[in-house]
PDB file of all heavy atoms in Angstrom:
ATOM      1  N   ASP A  12     126.872 119.013  88.917  1.00  0.00           N
ATOM      2  CA  ASP A  12     126.860 117.630  88.433  1.00  0.00           C
ATOM      3  C   ASP A  12     127.625 116.709  89.378  1.00  0.00           C
ATOM      4  O   ASP A  12     127.185 115.593  89.666  1.00  0.00           O
ATOM      5  CB  ASP A  12     127.460 117.537  87.024  1.00  0.00           C
ATOM      6  CG  ASP A  12     126.573 118.180  85.969  1.00  0.00           C
ATOM      7  OD1 ASP A  12     125.391 118.481  86.262  1.00  0.00           O
ATOM      8  OD2 ASP A  12     127.069 118.393  84.838  1.00  0.00           O
ATOM      9  N   GLN A  13     128.767 117.175  89.870  1.00  0.00           N
ATOM     10  CA  GLN A  13     129.547 116.370  90.809  1.00  0.00           C
ATOM     11  C   GLN A  13     128.791 116.175  92.119  1.00  0.00           C
ATOM     12  O   GLN A  13     128.800 115.078  92.692  1.00  0.00           O
ATOM     13  CB  GLN A  13     130.907 117.017  91.078  1.00  0.00           C
ATOM     14  CG  GLN A  13     131.845 116.945  89.897  1.00  0.00           C
ATOM     15  CD  GLN A  13     133.126 117.733  90.122  1.00  0.00           C
ATOM     16  OE1 GLN A  13     133.247 118.510  91.067  1.00  0.00           O
ATOM     17  NE2 GLN A  13     134.092 117.542  89.240  1.00  0.00           N
ATOM     18  N   ARG A  14     128.124 117.215  92.585  1.00  0.00           N
ATOM     19  CA  ARG A  14     127.335 117.115  93.817  1.00  0.00           C
ATOM     20  C   ARG A  14     126.202 116.107  93.633  1.00  0.00           C
ATOM     21  O   ARG A  14     125.941 115.269  94.504  1.00  0.00           O
ATOM     22  CB  ARG A  14     126.775 118.482  94.195  1.00  0.00           C
ATOM     23  CG  ARG A  14     126.072 118.521  95.525  1.00  0.00           C
ATOM     24  CD  ARG A  14     125.547 119.916  95.897  1.00  0.00           C
ATOM     25  NE  ARG A  14     126.581 120.944  95.832  1.00  0.00           N
ATOM     26  CZ  ARG A  14     126.606 121.940  94.941  1.00  0.00           C
ATOM     27  NH1 ARG A  14     125.674 122.053  94.035  1.00  0.00           N
ATOM     28  NH2 ARG A  14     127.571 122.832  94.951  1.00  0.00           N
ATOM     29  N   ALA A  15     125.529 116.172  92.497  1.00  0.00           N
ATOM     30  CA  ALA A  15     124.438 115.238  92.215  1.00  0.00           C
ATOM     31  C   ALA A  15     124.957 113.801  92.129  1.00  0.00           C
ATOM     32  O   ALA A  15     124.312 112.873  92.621  1.00  0.00           O
ATOM     33  CB  ALA A  15     123.738 115.625  90.911  1.00  0.00           C
ATOM     34  N   ALA A  16     126.131 113.622  91.517  1.00  0.00           N
ATOM     35  CA  ALA A  16     126.714 112.276  91.414  1.00  0.00           C
ATOM     36  C   ALA A  16     127.074 111.734  92.795  1.00  0.00           C
ATOM     37  O   ALA A  16     126.834 110.558  93.091  1.00  0.00           O
ATOM     38  CB  ALA A  16     127.949 112.300  90.515  1.00  0.00           C
ATOM     39  N   ARG A  17     127.610 112.595  93.646  1.00  0.00           N
ATOM     40  CA  ARG A  17     127.928 112.154  95.021  1.00  0.00           C
ATOM     41  C   ARG A  17     126.655 111.783  95.769  1.00  0.00           C
ATOM     42  O   ARG A  17     126.625 110.795  96.511  1.00  0.00           O
ATOM     43  CB  ARG A  17     128.704 113.236  95.772  1.00  0.00           C
ATOM     44  CG  ARG A  17     130.162 113.327  95.391  1.00  0.00           C
ATOM     45  CD  ARG A  17     130.955 114.212  96.354  1.00  0.00           C
ATOM     46  NE  ARG A  17     130.374 115.525  96.576  1.00  0.00           N
ATOM     47  CZ  ARG A  17     130.608 116.603  95.836  1.00  0.00           C
ATOM     48  NH1 ARG A  17     131.426 116.529  94.812  1.00  0.00           N
ATOM     49  NH2 ARG A  17     130.035 117.758  96.122  1.00  0.00           N
ATOM     50  N   GLN A  18     125.604 112.572  95.584  1.00  0.00           N
ATOM     51  CA  GLN A  18     124.341 112.271  96.250  1.00  0.00           C
ATOM     52  C   GLN A  18     123.772 110.952  95.736  1.00  0.00           C
ATOM     53  O   GLN A  18     123.296 110.137  96.523  1.00  0.00           O
ATOM     54  CB  GLN A  18     123.332 113.390  96.025  1.00  0.00           C
ATOM     55  CG  GLN A  18     122.021 113.147  96.766  1.00  0.00           C
ATOM     56  CD  GLN A  18     120.999 114.232  96.494  1.00  0.00           C
ATOM     57  OE1 GLN A  18     120.972 114.818  95.420  1.00  0.00           O
ATOM     58  NE2 GLN A  18     120.148 114.485  97.470  1.00  0.00           N
ATOM     59  N   GLN A  19     123.846 110.725  94.435  1.00  0.00           N
ATOM     60  CA  GLN A  19     123.380 109.462  93.863  1.00  0.00           C
ATOM     61  C   GLN A  19     124.164 108.291  94.437  1.00  0.00           C
ATOM     62  O   GLN A  19     123.588 107.261  94.771  1.00  0.00           O
ATOM     63  CB  GLN A  19     123.506 109.474  92.338  1.00  0.00           C
ATOM     64  CG  GLN A  19     122.517 110.366  91.642  1.00  0.00           C
ATOM     65  CD  GLN A  19     121.108 109.848  91.741  1.00  0.00           C
ATOM     66  OE1 GLN A  19     120.415 110.063  92.731  1.00  0.00           O
ATOM     67  NE2 GLN A  19     120.685 109.138  90.734  1.00  0.00           N
ATOM     68  N   ASP A  20     125.479 108.444  94.542  1.00  0.00           N
ATOM     69  CA  ASP A  20     126.308 107.373  95.098  1.00  0.00           C
ATOM     70  C   ASP A  20     125.950 107.102  96.559  1.00  0.00           C
ATOM     71  O   ASP A  20     125.871 105.944  96.976  1.00  0.00           O
ATOM     72  CB  ASP A  20     127.798 107.717  94.982  1.00  0.00           C
ATOM     73  CG  ASP A  20     128.307 107.632  93.557  1.00  0.00           C
ATOM     74  OD1 ASP A  20     127.621 107.033  92.699  1.00  0.00           O
ATOM     75  OD2 ASP A  20     129.397 108.182  93.289  1.00  0.00           O
ATOM     76  N   ALA A  21     125.731 108.163  97.327  1.00  0.00           N
ATOM     77  CA  ALA A  21     125.370 107.989  98.732  1.00  0.00           C
ATOM     78  C   ALA A  21     124.022 107.292  98.860  1.00  0.00           C
ATOM     79  O   ALA A  21     123.854 106.392  99.697  1.00  0.00           O
ATOM     80  CB  ALA A  21     125.337 109.342  99.443  1.00  0.00           C
ATOM     81  N   ARG A  22     123.076 107.683  98.035  1.00  0.00           N
ATOM     82  CA  ARG A  22     121.761 107.028  98.060  1.00  0.00           C
ATOM     83  C   ARG A  22     121.874 105.566  97.650  1.00  0.00           C
ATOM     84  O   ARG A  22     121.308 104.689  98.297  1.00  0.00           O
ATOM     85  CB  ARG A  22     120.783 107.757  97.139  1.00  0.00           C
ATOM     86  CG  ARG A  22     120.256 109.019  97.733  1.00  0.00           C
ATOM     87  CD  ARG A  22     119.242 109.675  96.827  1.00  0.00           C
ATOM     88  NE  ARG A  22     118.617 110.789  97.531  1.00  0.00           N
ATOM     89  CZ  ARG A  22     117.729 111.584  96.989  1.00  0.00           C
ATOM     90  NH1 ARG A  22     117.347 111.422  95.735  1.00  0.00           N
ATOM     91  NH2 ARG A  22     117.202 112.566  97.700  1.00  0.00           N
ATOM     92  N   ARG A  23     122.586 105.317  96.573  1.00  0.00           N
ATOM     93  CA  ARG A  23     122.742 103.942  96.099  1.00  0.00           C
ATOM     94  C   ARG A  23     123.352 103.071  97.188  1.00  0.00           C
ATOM     95  O   ARG A  23     122.896 101.958  97.444  1.00  0.00           O
ATOM     96  CB  ARG A  23     123.612 103.932  94.836  1.00  0.00           C
ATOM     97  CG  ARG A  23     123.674 102.595  94.130  1.00  0.00           C
ATOM     98  CD  ARG A  23     124.457 102.683  92.817  1.00  0.00           C
ATOM     99  NE  ARG A  23     123.719 103.453  91.829  1.00  0.00           N
ATOM    100  CZ  ARG A  23     124.058 104.662  91.393  1.00  0.00           C
ATOM    101  NH1 ARG A  23     125.155 105.244  91.841  1.00  0.00           N
ATOM    102  NH2 ARG A  23     123.346 105.296  90.496  1.00  0.00           N
ATOM    103  N   THR A  24     124.363 103.591  97.869  1.00  0.00           N
ATOM    104  CA  THR A  24     125.013 102.847  98.952  1.00  0.00           C
ATOM    105  C   THR A  24     124.036 102.617 100.104  1.00  0.00           C
ATOM    106  O   THR A  24     123.964 101.503 100.643  1.00  0.00           O
ATOM    107  CB  THR A  24     126.262 103.608  99.444  1.00  0.00           C
ATOM    108  OG1 THR A  24     127.174 103.724  98.350  1.00  0.00           O
ATOM    109  CG2 THR A  24     126.937 102.895 100.587  1.00  0.00           C
ATOM    110  N   ALA A  25     123.284 103.638 100.482  1.00  0.00           N
ATOM    111  CA  ALA A  25     122.312 103.495 101.576  1.00  0.00           C
ATOM    112  C   ALA A  25     121.247 102.472 101.216  1.00  0.00           C
ATOM    113  O   ALA A  25     120.880 101.630 102.053  1.00  0.00           O
ATOM    114  CB  ALA A  25     121.670 104.847 101.888  1.00  0.00           C
ATOM    115  N   TYR A  26     120.752 102.520  99.987  1.00  0.00           N
ATOM    116  CA  TYR A  26     119.708 101.585  99.568  1.00  0.00           C
ATOM    117  C   TYR A  26     120.231 100.148  99.551  1.00  0.00           C
ATOM    118  O   TYR A  26     119.555  99.225 100.001  1.00  0.00           O
ATOM    119  CB  TYR A  26     119.170 101.948  98.189  1.00  0.00           C
ATOM    120  CG  TYR A  26     118.562 103.331  98.068  1.00  0.00           C
ATOM    121  CD1 TYR A  26     118.376 103.909  96.828  1.00  0.00           C
ATOM    122  CD2 TYR A  26     118.186 104.070  99.191  1.00  0.00           C
ATOM    123  CE1 TYR A  26     117.819 105.175  96.701  1.00  0.00           C
ATOM    124  CE2 TYR A  26     117.637 105.344  99.065  1.00  0.00           C
ATOM    125  CZ  TYR A  26     117.449 105.879  97.810  1.00  0.00           C
ATOM    126  OH  TYR A  26     116.906 107.131  97.693  1.00  0.00           O
ATOM    127  N   ALA A  27     121.436  99.965  99.021  1.00  0.00           N
ATOM    128  CA  ALA A  27     122.020  98.623  98.964  1.00  0.00           C
ATOM    129  C   ALA A  27     122.301  98.091 100.364  1.00  0.00           C
ATOM    130  O   ALA A  27     122.064  96.907 100.650  1.00  0.00           O
ATOM    131  CB  ALA A  27     123.302  98.641  98.130  1.00  0.00           C
ATOM    132  N   THR A  28     122.779  98.960 101.237  1.00  0.00           N
ATOM    133  CA  THR A  28     123.055  98.562 102.622  1.00  0.00           C
ATOM    134  C   THR A  28     121.758  98.151 103.320  1.00  0.00           C
ATOM    135  O   THR A  28     121.706  97.132 104.011  1.00  0.00           O
ATOM    136  CB  THR A  28     123.741  99.710 103.390  1.00  0.00           C
ATOM    137  OG1 THR A  28     124.959 100.027 102.723  1.00  0.00           O
ATOM    138  CG2 THR A  28     124.029  99.335 104.829  1.00  0.00           C
ATOM    139  N   PHE A  29     120.712  98.932 103.122  1.00  0.00           N
ATOM    140  CA  PHE A  29     119.423  98.605 103.733  1.00  0.00           C
ATOM    141  C   PHE A  29     118.895  97.289 103.186  1.00  0.00           C
ATOM    142  O   PHE A  29     118.415  96.433 103.951  1.00  0.00           O
ATOM    143  CB  PHE A  29     118.402  99.723 103.491  1.00  0.00           C
ATOM    144  CG  PHE A  29     117.037  99.387 104.017  1.00  0.00           C
ATOM    145  CD1 PHE A  29     116.785  99.448 105.376  1.00  0.00           C
ATOM    146  CD2 PHE A  29     116.021  98.980 103.167  1.00  0.00           C
ATOM    147  CE1 PHE A  29     115.531  99.118 105.881  1.00  0.00           C
ATOM    148  CE2 PHE A  29     114.775  98.653 103.663  1.00  0.00           C
ATOM    149  CZ  PHE A  29     114.518  98.724 105.022  1.00  0.00           C
ATOM    150  N   LEU A  30     118.964  97.119 101.888  1.00  0.00           N
ATOM    151  CA  LEU A  30     118.455  95.893 101.273  1.00  0.00           C
ATOM    152  C   LEU A  30     119.203  94.672 101.789  1.00  0.00           C
ATOM    153  O   LEU A  30     118.589  93.654 102.136  1.00  0.00           O
ATOM    154  CB  LEU A  30     118.562  95.999  99.750  1.00  0.00           C
ATOM    155  CG  LEU A  30     117.837  94.946  98.941  1.00  0.00           C
ATOM    156  CD1 LEU A  30     116.351  94.920  99.280  1.00  0.00           C
ATOM    157  CD2 LEU A  30     118.031  95.220  97.462  1.00  0.00           C
ATOM    158  N   ALA A  31     120.523  94.766 101.877  1.00  0.00           N
ATOM    159  CA  ALA A  31     121.319  93.643 102.391  1.00  0.00           C
ATOM    160  C   ALA A  31     120.970  93.349 103.846  1.00  0.00           C
ATOM    161  O   ALA A  31     120.801  92.182 104.232  1.00  0.00           O
ATOM    162  CB  ALA A  31     122.804  93.947 102.244  1.00  0.00           C
ATOM    163  N   ALA A  32     120.833  94.390 104.669  1.00  0.00           N
ATOM    164  CA  ALA A  32     120.493  94.195 106.086  1.00  0.00           C
ATOM    165  C   ALA A  32     119.092  93.607 106.226  1.00  0.00           C
ATOM    166  O   ALA A  32     118.859  92.733 107.079  1.00  0.00           O
ATOM    167  CB  ALA A  32     120.607  95.518 106.840  1.00  0.00           C
ATOM    168  N   ALA A  33     118.159  94.064 105.398  1.00  0.00           N
ATOM    169  CA  ALA A  33     116.795  93.535 105.447  1.00  0.00           C
ATOM    170  C   ALA A  33     116.781  92.063 105.051  1.00  0.00           C
ATOM    171  O   ALA A  33     116.079  91.249 105.673  1.00  0.00           O
ATOM    172  CB  ALA A  33     115.880  94.351 104.533  1.00  0.00           C
ATOM    173  N   GLU A  34     117.536  91.712 104.043  1.00  0.00           N
ATOM    174  CA  GLU A  34     117.580  90.315 103.619  1.00  0.00           C
ATOM    175  C   GLU A  34     118.200  89.426 104.685  1.00  0.00           C
ATOM    176  O   GLU A  34     117.724  88.315 104.935  1.00  0.00           O
ATOM    177  CB  GLU A  34     118.320  90.193 102.290  1.00  0.00           C
ATOM    178  CG  GLU A  34     117.506  90.752 101.138  1.00  0.00           C
ATOM    179  CD  GLU A  34     118.241  90.731  99.809  1.00  0.00           C
ATOM    180  OE1 GLU A  34     119.473  90.544  99.795  1.00  0.00           O
ATOM    181  OE2 GLU A  34     117.563  90.920  98.790  1.00  0.00           O
ATOM    182  N   LEU A  35     119.241  89.923 105.331  1.00  0.00           N
ATOM    183  CA  LEU A  35     119.847  89.138 106.412  1.00  0.00           C
ATOM    184  C   LEU A  35     118.869  88.960 107.571  1.00  0.00           C
ATOM    185  O   LEU A  35     118.769  87.879 108.152  1.00  0.00           O
ATOM    186  CB  LEU A  35     121.140  89.791 106.892  1.00  0.00           C
ATOM    187  CG  LEU A  35     122.335  89.630 105.951  1.00  0.00           C
ATOM    188  CD1 LEU A  35     123.493  90.498 106.425  1.00  0.00           C
ATOM    189  CD2 LEU A  35     122.750  88.174 105.854  1.00  0.00           C
ATOM    190  N   ARG A  36     118.157  90.032 107.907  1.00  0.00           N
ATOM    191  CA  ARG A  36     117.177  89.951 108.997  1.00  0.00           C
ATOM    192  C   ARG A  36     116.036  89.017 108.609  1.00  0.00           C
ATOM    193  O   ARG A  36     115.582  88.201 109.423  1.00  0.00           O
ATOM    194  CB  ARG A  36     116.652  91.347 109.324  1.00  0.00           C
ATOM    195  CG  ARG A  36     115.621  91.371 110.421  1.00  0.00           C
ATOM    196  CD  ARG A  36     116.225  90.972 111.746  1.00  0.00           C
ATOM    197  NE  ARG A  36     115.218  91.153 112.800  1.00  0.00           N
ATOM    198  CZ  ARG A  36     115.200  90.457 113.901  1.00  0.00           C
ATOM    199  NH1 ARG A  36     116.117  89.550 114.155  1.00  0.00           N
ATOM    200  NH2 ARG A  36     114.253  90.679 114.787  1.00  0.00           N
ATOM    201  N   ALA A  37     115.562  89.116 107.382  1.00  0.00           N
ATOM    202  CA  ALA A  37     114.487  88.235 106.922  1.00  0.00           C
ATOM    203  C   ALA A  37     114.956  86.785 106.931  1.00  0.00           C
ATOM    204  O   ALA A  37     114.201  85.880 107.303  1.00  0.00           O
ATOM    205  CB  ALA A  37     114.036  88.648 105.522  1.00  0.00           C
ATOM    206  N   ASP A  38     116.185  86.558 106.536  1.00  0.00           N
ATOM    207  CA  ASP A  38     116.754  85.213 106.545  1.00  0.00           C
ATOM    208  C   ASP A  38     116.793  84.673 107.969  1.00  0.00           C
ATOM    209  O   ASP A  38     116.478  83.518 108.224  1.00  0.00           O
ATOM    210  CB  ASP A  38     118.159  85.252 105.936  1.00  0.00           C
ATOM    211  CG  ASP A  38     118.737  83.866 105.723  1.00  0.00           C
ATOM    212  OD1 ASP A  38     117.960  82.946 105.421  1.00  0.00           O
ATOM    213  OD2 ASP A  38     119.956  83.726 105.867  1.00  0.00           O
ATOM    214  N   GLU A  39     117.151  85.534 108.902  1.00  0.00           N
ATOM    215  CA  GLU A  39     117.227  85.155 110.308  1.00  0.00           C
ATOM    216  C   GLU A  39     115.842  84.789 110.845  1.00  0.00           C
ATOM    217  O   GLU A  39     115.705  83.872 111.653  1.00  0.00           O
ATOM    218  CB  GLU A  39     117.802  86.322 111.101  1.00  0.00           C
ATOM    219  CG  GLU A  39     117.991  86.080 112.577  1.00  0.00           C
ATOM    220  CD  GLU A  39     118.626  87.285 113.237  1.00  0.00           C
ATOM    221  OE1 GLU A  39     119.865  87.355 113.260  1.00  0.00           O
ATOM    222  OE2 GLU A  39     117.869  88.158 113.702  1.00  0.00           O
ATOM    223  N   LEU A  40     114.815  85.503 110.396  1.00  0.00           N
ATOM    224  CA  LEU A  40     113.449  85.255 110.866  1.00  0.00           C
ATOM    225  C   LEU A  40     112.727  84.205 110.037  1.00  0.00           C
ATOM    226  O   LEU A  40     111.638  83.787 110.405  1.00  0.00           O
ATOM    227  CB  LEU A  40     112.632  86.555 110.815  1.00  0.00           C
ATOM    228  CG  LEU A  40     113.113  87.698 111.698  1.00  0.00           C
ATOM    229  CD1 LEU A  40     112.293  88.944 111.412  1.00  0.00           C
ATOM    230  CD2 LEU A  40     113.031  87.311 113.158  1.00  0.00           C
ATOM    231  N   GLY A  41     113.313  83.821 108.913  1.00  0.00           N
ATOM    232  CA  GLY A  41     112.652  82.941 107.952  1.00  0.00           C
ATOM    233  C   GLY A  41     112.351  81.559 108.498  1.00  0.00           C
ATOM    234  O   GLY A  41     112.878  81.143 109.517  1.00  0.00           O
ATOM    235  N   PRO A  42     111.480  80.830 107.782  1.00  0.00           N
ATOM    236  CA  PRO A  42     111.023  79.515 108.225  1.00  0.00           C
ATOM    237  C   PRO A  42     112.060  78.417 107.972  1.00  0.00           C
ATOM    238  O   PRO A  42     112.014  77.739 106.954  1.00  0.00           O
ATOM    239  CB  PRO A  42     109.762  79.282 107.404  1.00  0.00           C
ATOM    240  CG  PRO A  42     110.014  80.049 106.144  1.00  0.00           C
ATOM    241  CD  PRO A  42     110.826  81.252 106.557  1.00  0.00           C
ATOM    242  N   GLY A  43     113.016  78.304 108.880  1.00  0.00           N
ATOM    243  CA  GLY A  43     113.973  77.204 108.807  1.00  0.00           C
ATOM    244  C   GLY A  43     114.902  77.284 107.619  1.00  0.00           C
ATOM    245  O   GLY A  43     115.417  76.271 107.164  1.00  0.00           O
ATOM    246  N   GLY A  44     115.109  78.413 107.097  1.00  0.00           N
ATOM    247  CA  GLY A  44     116.006  78.514 105.955  1.00  0.00           C
ATOM    248  C   GLY A  44     115.855  79.847 105.265  1.00  0.00           C
ATOM    249  O   GLY A  44     115.121  80.716 105.702  1.00  0.00           O
ATOM    250  N   ARG A  45     116.514  79.960 104.161  1.00  0.00           N
ATOM    251  CA  ARG A  45     116.533  81.230 103.457  1.00  0.00           C
ATOM    252  C   ARG A  45     115.384  81.295 102.468  1.00  0.00           C
ATOM    253  O   ARG A  45     115.059  80.324 101.817  1.00  0.00           O
ATOM    254  CB  ARG A  45     117.863  81.382 102.745  1.00  0.00           C
ATOM    255  CG  ARG A  45     119.011  81.450 103.713  1.00  0.00           C
ATOM    256  CD  ARG A  45     120.345  81.114 103.094  1.00  0.00           C
ATOM    257  NE  ARG A  45     120.425  81.394 101.700  1.00  0.00           N
ATOM    258  CZ  ARG A  45     121.152  82.371 101.172  1.00  0.00           C
ATOM    259  NH1 ARG A  45     121.875  83.118 101.945  1.00  0.00           N
ATOM    260  NH2 ARG A  45     121.179  82.574  99.891  1.00  0.00           N
ATOM    261  N   PHE A  46     114.790  82.481 102.364  1.00  0.00           N
ATOM    262  CA  PHE A  46     113.735  82.668 101.374  1.00  0.00           C
ATOM    263  C   PHE A  46     113.978  83.893 100.520  1.00  0.00           C
ATOM    264  O   PHE A  46     113.121  84.322  99.776  1.00  0.00           O
ATOM    265  CB  PHE A  46     112.356  82.741 102.038  1.00  0.00           C
ATOM    266  CG  PHE A  46     112.206  83.849 103.033  1.00  0.00           C
ATOM    267  CD1 PHE A  46     111.833  85.126 102.637  1.00  0.00           C
ATOM    268  CD2 PHE A  46     112.430  83.611 104.369  1.00  0.00           C
ATOM    269  CE1 PHE A  46     111.689  86.135 103.566  1.00  0.00           C
ATOM    270  CE2 PHE A  46     112.285  84.620 105.304  1.00  0.00           C
ATOM    271  CZ  PHE A  46     111.913  85.882 104.904  1.00  0.00           C
ATOM    272  N   VAL A  47     115.148  84.481 100.636  1.00  0.00           N
ATOM    273  CA  VAL A  47     115.491  85.640  99.814  1.00  0.00           C
ATOM    274  C   VAL A  47     116.863  85.411  99.202  1.00  0.00           C
ATOM    275  O   VAL A  47     117.574  84.492  99.582  1.00  0.00           O
ATOM    276  CB  VAL A  47     115.507  86.946 100.651  1.00  0.00           C
ATOM    277  CG1 VAL A  47     114.131  87.275 101.151  1.00  0.00           C
ATOM    278  CG2 VAL A  47     116.478  86.841 101.793  1.00  0.00           C
ATOM    279  N   LEU A  48     117.233  86.268  98.320  1.00  0.00           N
ATOM    280  CA  LEU A  48     118.516  86.152  97.634  1.00  0.00           C
ATOM    281  C   LEU A  48     119.610  86.866  98.409  1.00  0.00           C
ATOM    282  O   LEU A  48     120.331  87.693  97.874  1.00  0.00           O
ATOM    283  CB  LEU A  48     118.398  86.737  96.219  1.00  0.00           C
ATOM    284  CG  LEU A  48     117.320  86.114  95.350  1.00  0.00           C
ATOM    285  CD1 LEU A  48     117.200  86.890  94.052  1.00  0.00           C
ATOM    286  CD2 LEU A  48     117.620  84.660  95.082  1.00  0.00           C
ATOM    287  N   ALA A  49     119.725  86.536  99.678  1.00  0.00           N
ATOM    288  CA  ALA A  49     120.722  87.203 100.517  1.00  0.00           C
ATOM    289  C   ALA A  49     122.029  86.441 100.464  1.00  0.00           C
ATOM    290  O   ALA A  49     122.063  85.262 100.136  1.00  0.00           O
ATOM    291  CB  ALA A  49     120.226  87.258 101.964  1.00  0.00           C
ATOM    292  N   GLY A  50     123.113  87.129 100.822  1.00  0.00           N
ATOM    293  CA  GLY A  50     124.407  86.477 100.918  1.00  0.00           C
ATOM    294  C   GLY A  50     124.429  85.572 102.137  1.00  0.00           C
ATOM    295  O   GLY A  50     123.469  85.504 102.904  1.00  0.00           O
ATOM    296  N   ALA A  51     125.503  84.876 102.311  1.00  0.00           N
ATOM    297  CA  ALA A  51     125.622  83.968 103.448  1.00  0.00           C
ATOM    298  C   ALA A  51     125.484  84.759 104.749  1.00  0.00           C
ATOM    299  O   ALA A  51     125.927  85.890 104.845  1.00  0.00           O
ATOM    300  CB  ALA A  51     126.966  83.258 103.413  1.00  0.00           C
ATOM    301  N   ARG A  52     124.867  84.129 105.712  1.00  0.00           N
ATOM    302  CA  ARG A  52     124.672  84.779 107.011  1.00  0.00           C
ATOM    303  C   ARG A  52     126.026  85.054 107.643  1.00  0.00           C
ATOM    304  O   ARG A  52     126.907  84.214 107.660  1.00  0.00           O
ATOM    305  CB  ARG A  52     123.844  83.884 107.916  1.00  0.00           C
ATOM    306  CG  ARG A  52     123.498  84.556 109.227  1.00  0.00           C
ATOM    307  CD  ARG A  52     122.673  83.674 110.080  1.00  0.00           C
ATOM    308  NE  ARG A  52     121.517  83.226 109.311  1.00  0.00           N
ATOM    309  CZ  ARG A  52     120.474  82.640 109.842  1.00  0.00           C
ATOM    310  NH1 ARG A  52     120.418  82.418 111.117  1.00  0.00           N
ATOM    311  NH2 ARG A  52     119.478  82.253 109.101  1.00  0.00           N
ATOM    312  N   ARG A  53     126.195  86.264 108.148  1.00  0.00           N
ATOM    313  CA  ARG A  53     127.445  86.641 108.792  1.00  0.00           C
ATOM    314  C   ARG A  53     127.370  86.242 110.256  1.00  0.00           C
ATOM    315  O   ARG A  53     126.412  86.571 110.939  1.00  0.00           O
ATOM    316  CB  ARG A  53     127.666  88.142 108.666  1.00  0.00           C
ATOM    317  CG  ARG A  53     127.795  88.580 107.219  1.00  0.00           C
ATOM    318  CD  ARG A  53     127.867  90.061 107.116  1.00  0.00           C
ATOM    319  NE  ARG A  53     126.541  90.604 107.453  1.00  0.00           N
ATOM    320  CZ  ARG A  53     126.271  91.883 107.536  1.00  0.00           C
ATOM    321  NH1 ARG A  53     127.207  92.767 107.323  1.00  0.00           N
ATOM    322  NH2 ARG A  53     125.060  92.309 107.841  1.00  0.00           N
ATOM    323  N   GLN A  54     128.353  85.548 110.706  1.00  0.00           N
ATOM    324  CA  GLN A  54     128.352  85.093 112.089  1.00  0.00           C
ATOM    325  C   GLN A  54     128.718  86.227 113.021  1.00  0.00           C
ATOM    326  O   GLN A  54     129.546  87.064 112.715  1.00  0.00           O
ATOM    327  CB  GLN A  54     129.335  83.937 112.266  1.00  0.00           C
ATOM    328  CG  GLN A  54     128.892  82.700 111.522  1.00  0.00           C
ATOM    329  CD  GLN A  54     129.806  81.531 111.827  1.00  0.00           C
ATOM    330  OE1 GLN A  54     130.739  81.635 112.592  1.00  0.00           O
ATOM    331  NE2 GLN A  54     129.515  80.413 111.192  1.00  0.00           N
ATOM    332  N   GLY A  55     128.112  86.217 114.207  1.00  0.00           N
ATOM    333  CA  GLY A  55     128.460  87.169 115.246  1.00  0.00           C
ATOM    334  C   GLY A  55     127.906  88.560 115.036  1.00  0.00           C
ATOM    335  O   GLY A  55     128.262  89.464 115.771  1.00  0.00           O
TER     336      GLY A  55
END
């Protein structure tokens, strides 16, 4: 059960990280502004 919980946490973190990175990239490529529910663009 502990191993499964750790795996779930690792997956959840990977999925959230990917989603955030995808939203930032989409925002960067977007038409003159944001079109997704991403956080503020990180500078640098």
Side-chain angles (χ1 to χ4, degrees):
D12 291 347
Q13 289 173 348
R14 186 179 307 112
R17 283 192 308 272
Q18 183 182 31
Q19 288 291 83
D20 288 344
R22 283 183 172 177
R23 189 175 290 110
T24 299
Y26 301 162
T28 300
F29 176 76
L30 192 57
E34 288 176 345
L35 285 171
R36 179 67 174 152
D38 188 34
E39 182 177 272
L40 298 174
R45 296 160 27 110
F46 59 86
V47 294
L48 303 173
R52 185 179 307 193
R53 298 174 290 176
Q54 293 186 1

